[in-house]
Amino acid sequence: MMEFSWSVLADPNTKWILMGCMLLGLMSGMIGSFAYLRKQSLIGDTLAHAALPGICIAFMLTGVKSLPLFFIGAFVSGLIATYSITVITRYTRIKADAAMGIVLSVFFGIGIVLLTQIQHSPNGNQSGLDKFLFGQAASMIHSDVYLMMGVSAVIIIACTLLFKEFKLLSFDPGFARGLGFPVGLLEQLLMFFLVMTVVVGIQAVGVVLVAALLITPAVAARYWTDRLGVMVVLSGVFGAISGVIGTLISTTTSNLPTGPLSVLAATTVFGFSILFAPRRGVCAKVIRRIRGNEAIRASERMREMQRQDIRLRKEESL
Amino acid sequence: MNQRNRGSEVSPLTVEGLTVAYQKKPVLRNVSFEVPEGKLIGIIGPNGAGKSTMIKAILGLLPRVSGETEIYGRPYKEMRRKVGYVPQRESVDWDFPTNALDVVMMGRYGHLGWFKRPGAKEREIAMDCLRKVGMADYAHRQISQLSGGQQQRVFLARALAQNADLYFMDEPFVGVDAMTERAIITLLNELKAQGKTVLVVHHDLATVKEYFDWVMLLNVEMVAYGPTEDVFTKSLLHQTYGGRLAVFDHEDEAILVDSR
């Protein structure tokens, strides 16, 4: 099985796809850690769904399929979506989760309407925009992978340089503001990276699933460590491994889609983490409880023996 | 900077006509006061009186409708490093992947500036601050494994690491054990002995007389403000709390129970 997959790697095209999916997993894992810790797991999903109408409008306006243009479109509609959520939560009694649900589905609905419109238009068939729903990693070309390299390099450098700032922002934004850090700017920067990741990821994994790559590796990584630095790196590694496994399985078996397979791989890592992680994992907890109970029982037995001992001595002395 | 302001006539904090509103409804109305240096000041008032809001507005964490604040005679933006802040414990997620020492080091981030990572020096300062709150043994403990009182002391140590002259503490005594309460009050008195000024949002009326030199009674508007013996009186407290307060006389001393 493994030899077979290595032979597949001889195909240069597969190498590029592998590289792309690995980078996508890496950057979404890293940036996703901060989104998860800031309790913004659903923001990634909202951004991804909101990106669809932006991408469609970018295509309708220019008539060409180019990632930078799609990026601008996705970015603008992502911003409008997050702004809408802020407005709804601020000026109504609706809570953030409901607001995200509303905004996400409205934007996605608009996106689907526009997508259908495009497909029925003369040059719609060549657009390949329908692939953005569930993603098609095989459609990645060299320039797409170069873009991914660039984006992931930016994200890795930013997460390294601004690690301290992002940590403080995620843990205690109020305190960060008190110290004089421009919290709004940092938040927007994180959001910007999130949008970049989502947009470059949509092509491979699709609008519907890209959020899974942001959150699942981060949640899995959280199980293994109590240190943020380790968590971010681990989450990136989990994401990269998921991307690689997804690509390998999809190229070695009969035409299964890469993106969903990567998400399933990430979920497998997550499941393994839940069960077997030290301390936080289910198994560790069960073992700890059994051991704890046993220790209590043992000490109870000891106490009972001592009590009997005292009773016997009293009887003897009588 | 420290030397220049110490002992001078400039007040650590002056607030002039501060008004804060949540959507049209004022939660803090036209509050003005001046803080004397080197005092422990308790901010007292019923729930929703705007106590935390006032602190947050002074620190620029909430937008204000109107009002001026000055820290040692200058705008807050220029004087950030002189100000330390202990937020409410519940304001953060304690399951965050970090340990006590790391949280305390965050108190140094403002001094470090952009991009620079905390190093050996910051570690040393943070350990020192943990020691002062009796938490040195817990430095490498994951913060979710600390008790509520221990978490509060970590927050306090983080504020100490800021090495400020003026401190704002938002309900540091809420939900802590007796040992932590002692540790906090010892620390407050130490800060005072160093000539630092501390404003504390406080709930437990029974300890006000013991803990604070000055008291501010607040209920959206400022009811009274001044030395504890002048301000912490039955009639002014009734004015602040309205009918929500039960006052019991006990051996000449007014023991007050907040019947929220």
Side-chain angles (χ1 to χ4, degrees):
Chain A
M1 174 77 186
M2 274 324 268
E3 289 98 302
F4 182 45
S5 53
W6 288 128
S7 71
V8 162
L9 283 186
D11 176 14
N13 210 29
T14 310
K15 262 186 207 163
W16 282 103
I17 293 167
L18 192 72
M19 182 83 164
C21 287
M22 191 186 81
L23 287 171
L24 174 65
L26 179 76
M27 60 186 159
S28 48
M30 284 179 77
I31 210 71
S33 299
F34 293 106
Y36 165 59
L37 289 174
R38 296 186 66 224
K39 313 255 180 291
Q40 290 189 329
S41 301
L42 269 176
I43 278 282
D45 208 22
T46 310
L47 283 177
H49 283 77
L52 191 61
I55 289 169
C56 290
I57 290 169
F59 179 80
M60 287 166 115
L61 289 179
T62 61
V64 287
K65 178 178 176 256
S66 94
L67 269 191
L69 277 175
F70 288 175
F71 176 75
I72 295 167
F75 189 68
V76 171
S77 58
L79 275 188
I80 297 172
T82 47
Y83 185 72
S84 310
I85 293 168
T86 317
V87 168
I88 289 173
T89 47
R90 188 171 293 169
Y91 294 105
T92 69
R93 293 163 151 266
I94 299 167
K95 298 272 180 295
D97 59 336
M100 276 189 216
I102 294 166
V103 171
L104 181 151
S105 36
V106 164
F107 274 71
F108 193 57
I110 297 170
I112 295 292
V113 169
L114 294 176
L115 197 63
T116 318
Q117 197 74 30
I118 288 169
Q119 276 173 314
H120 290 301
S121 70
N123 63 345
N125 293 335
Q126 291 92 37
S127 72
L129 280 187
D130 53 321
K131 299 289 186 296
F132 278 50
L133 270 187
F134 301 108
Q136 193 180 49
S139 69
M140 277 195 290
I141 52 171
H142 289 198
S143 65
D144 296 338
V145 178
Y146 283 131
L147 185 72
M148 282 180 157
M149 280 180 187
V151 173
S152 48
V154 168
I155 286 175
I156 289 170
I157 290 169
C159 285
T160 312
L161 279 179
L162 292 171
F163 180 72
K164 173 184 83 196
E165 285 78 8
F166 283 166
K167 181 202 273 182
L168 190 57
L169 181 75
S170 310
F171 177 61
D172 194 347
F175 191 74
R177 194 165 300 180
L179 288 182
F181 286 102
V183 168
L185 187 78
L186 285 168
E187 272 173 352
Q188 273 161 24
L189 199 63
L190 265 183
M191 191 67 82
F192 180 71
F193 291 147
L194 221 52
V195 175
M196 285 212 292
T197 309
V198 164
V199 173
V200 297
I202 282 175
Q203 193 182 20
V205 188
V207 167
V208 184
L209 286 176
V210 73
L213 278 190
L214 284 169
I215 299 311
T216 315
V219 181
R222 180 65 189 93
Y223 270 89
W224 297 91
T225 176
D226 280 333
R227 290 175 60 197
L228 179 62
V230 179
M231 177 185 159
V232 173
V233 172
L234 208 56
S235 176
V237 170
F238 284 169
I241 290 174
S242 308
V244 169
I245 291 176
T247 315
L248 288 184
I249 295 178
S250 106
T251 46
T252 49
T253 50
S254 55
N255 268 340
L256 287 170
T258 311
L261 282 173
S262 302
V263 172
L264 288 180
T267 311
T268 310
V269 174
F270 167 63
F272 184 81
S273 306
I274 278 198
L275 288 177
F276 302 114
R279 296 240 308 281
R280 292 189 149 237
V282 172
C283 288
K285 275 186 183 155
V286 168
I287 289 169
R288 206 158 48 223
R289 200 171 56 224
I290 291 171
R291 278 193 189 147
N293 287 351
E294 232 148 58
I296 290 168
R297 274 197 289 271
S299 73
E300 282 300 314
R301 273 198 296 274
M302 278 293 285
R303 207 174 292 173
E304 184 57 30
M305 272 152 72
Q306 281 167 350
R307 247 178 265 149
Q308 276 179 355
D309 203 32
I310 292 166
R311 215 179 301 144
L312 281 174
R313 268 187 217 162
K314 269 187 189 163
E315 279 167 16
E316 268 170 31
S317 66
L318 281 170
Chain B
M1 284 287 258
N2 275 346
Q3 281 72 24
R4 204 189 69 196
N5 284 313
R6 276 290 150 69
S8 70
E9 295 301 305
V10 188
S11 164
L13 171 69
T14 49
V15 174
E16 191 59 54
L18 183 64
T19 298
V20 184
Y22 290 130
Q23 304 170 25
K24 288 184 189 167
K25 187 173 170 260
V27 284
L28 192 70
R29 194 180 294 132
N30 196 24
V31 170
S32 304
F33 62 97
E34 197 175 302
V35 168
E37 185 153 42
K39 293 276 191 280
L40 301 182
I41 298 156
I43 303 169
I44 320 283
N47 279 354
K51 305 182 295 289
S52 297
T53 304
M54 184 179 77
I55 287 190
K56 285 179 186 158
I58 292 170
L59 293 170
L61 304 181
L62 284 176
R64 54 180 80 165
V65 175
S66 62
E68 297 297 319
T69 55
E70 279 186 349
I71 312 282
Y72 289 100
R74 306 201 51 82
Y76 172 57
K77 272 185 182 159
E78 296 171 29
M79 305 301 273
R80 282 186 201 278
R81 289 197 183 181
K82 295 197 151 283
V83 178
Y85 173 43
V86 182
Q88 284 183 19
R89 184 159 48 87
E90 300 80 37
S91 65
V92 303
D93 174 16
W94 288 92
D95 197 31
F96 195 85
T98 188
N99 61 32
L101 184 69
D102 207 39
V103 172
V104 178
M105 275 199 277
M106 288 177 188
R108 301 304 301 167
Y109 283 9
H111 295 253
L112 278 171
W114 287 92
F115 307 123
K116 257 184 90 179
R117 298 279 187 102
K121 188 184 147 213
E122 281 70 33
R123 189 172 293 268
E124 210 171 287
I125 295 171
M127 269 316 284
D128 215 42
C129 295
L130 276 173
R131 218 168 282 129
K132 280 181 194 158
V133 296
M135 287 288 293
D137 293 341
Y138 298 89
H140 299 287
R141 193 68 78 82
Q142 151 70 19
I143 52 173
S144 65
Q145 290 167 15
L146 302 171
S147 73
Q150 290 168 336
Q151 290 172 348
Q152 188 65 60
R153 278 188 271 165
V154 168
F155 256 18
L156 228 63
R158 181 177 70 170
L160 286 182
Q162 288 183 271
N163 194 23
D165 290 324
L166 172 64
Y167 282 100
F168 294 92
M169 302 188 182
D170 203 346
E171 310 221 14
F173 294 107
V174 165
V176 303
D177 49 296
M179 189 178 139
T180 300
E181 181 139 0
R182 281 325 312 168
I184 296 175
I185 200 66
T186 310
L187 192 77
L188 287 180
N189 284 311
E190 257 173 53
L191 289 172
K192 182 177 133 184
Q194 293 166 25
K196 308 201 170 190
T197 312
V198 191
L199 282 89
V200 182
V201 173
H202 195 59
H203 250 127
D204 180 15
L205 294 176
T207 50
V208 170
K209 275 191 169 175
E210 185 192 343
Y211 289 174
F212 300 110
D213 308 315
W214 277 48
V215 167
M216 177 188 298
L217 296 178
L218 195 70
N219 192 355
V220 184
E221 289 175 17
M222 169 125 46
V223 178
Y225 173 62
T228 309
E229 61 268 26
D230 301 341
V231 169
F232 200 68
T233 62
K234 241 191 278 181
S235 63
L236 283 174
L237 280 167
H238 264 303
Q239 211 178 313
T240 314
Y241 282 84
R244 276 181 286 178
L245 187 76
V247 182
F248 300 99
D249 272 320
H250 177 73
E251 293 176 5
D252 277 353
E253 226 172 281
I255 290 178
L256 301 135
V257 182
D258 187 359
S259 62
R260 272 181 291 127

